[in-house]
Amino acid sequence: MRVDPRRLRERMVDEQIAARGITDPRLLAVMRELPRHLFVEEAMAKQAYMDNPLPIGEGQTISQPYIVALMTELLQVEPGMKVLEIGTGSGYQAAVLAKLGADVHTVERIPKLCELARDRLRSMGLFNVHVKLDDGTLGWPSIAPFDRILVTAGGPEVPQPLIDQLAEGGRLVMPVGPARRLQSLVLIEKKGGQLERKDICGVQFVDLVGAHGW
């Protein structure tokens, strides 16, 4: 029996995202529209709208829909903002940010995932996403500063290069914790050159690997 992706997206947003307190109407509209099943292997397409992360190869995952929505809402992205994403993965999170009107710069350390994500995003016409193969813990200094920074892998602390590349008044969201695969989702705001940190909830992400990660 064929599955209607649009109906699955509606159910995903209603039952997994809006029901858990995500209220940003622009974000909800984007997640109702964006074909999440195109960001996973064809054999897993029917699972793409379920309430859990999925493997995308190379030991990486596409995050649970609710976590994507939560992290995005915490960023408070507005059209025209310059956003840095660390950990492109499948490209789904970058696509959400792009659909919200951001100028997205995303860094992936795994060549195969980087190439697949770049091709996928281009095929969808998302030319406001710029994909780079590099150590994400170093950020993207030649493009800095960034209005928003989103890290989609967990590390022992927020990398100093990312803090340095966050603009005044900017927001950074990242899973942080002393143990691998066990972190707290952290929101950091830069105000008057000072950092304000708020722990949001417990999460489990793949490792942030690099010079300033594990």
Side-chain angles (χ1 to χ4, degrees), residues 37-112:
H37 63 280
L38 298 183
F39 292 84
V40 299
E41 294 182 4
E42 188 174 353
M44 290 189 162
K46 291 182 180 180
Q47 303 176 53
Y49 300 101
M50 296 176 67
D51 190 22
N52 52 261
L54 290 173
I56 58 171
E58 307 295 324
Q60 305 301 299
T61 61
I62 180 175
S63 294
Q64 173 187 6
Y66 169 69
I67 292 297
V68 172
L70 175 61
M71 295 177 76
T72 305
E73 187 169 68
L74 288 169
L75 281 182
Q76 298 183 359
V77 173
E78 296 294 339
M81 282 186 170
K82 187 162 57 173
V83 179
L84 174 65
E85 180 197 30
I86 305 304
T88 313
S90 69
Y92 180 71
Q93 176 71 77
V96 170
L97 295 169
K99 287 284 189 179
L100 288 171
D103 183 22
V104 184
H105 300 262
T106 179
V107 184
E108 173 57 54
R109 69 179 180 85
I110 301 174
K112 182 178 179 180

Side-chain angles (χ1 to χ4, degrees), residues 119-142:
D119 291 346
R120 184 179 290 125
L121 293 162
R122 284 177 178 171
S123 72
M124 298 178 74
L126 295 174
F127 300 113
N128 54 330
V129 182
H130 316 279
V131 186
K132 179 184 180 183
L133 178 65
D134 207 345
D135 176 355
T137 69
L138 303 176
W140 200 327
S142 64

Side-chain angles (χ1 to χ4, degrees), residues 138-187:
L138 303 176
W140 200 327
S142 64
I143 307 295
F146 296 95
D147 302 302
R148 302 287 188 264
I149 297 178
L150 181 64
V151 184
T152 60
E157 58 186 15
V158 179
Q160 187 61 45
L162 302 186
I163 292 174
D164 295 341
Q165 292 171 37
L166 184 63
E168 173 63 28
R171 286 182 159 226
L172 181 152
V173 175
M174 174 181 167
V176 178
R180 294 180 179 223
R181 306 299 173 99
L182 183 61
Q183 307 100 14
S184 175
L185 188 61
V186 169
L187 167 64

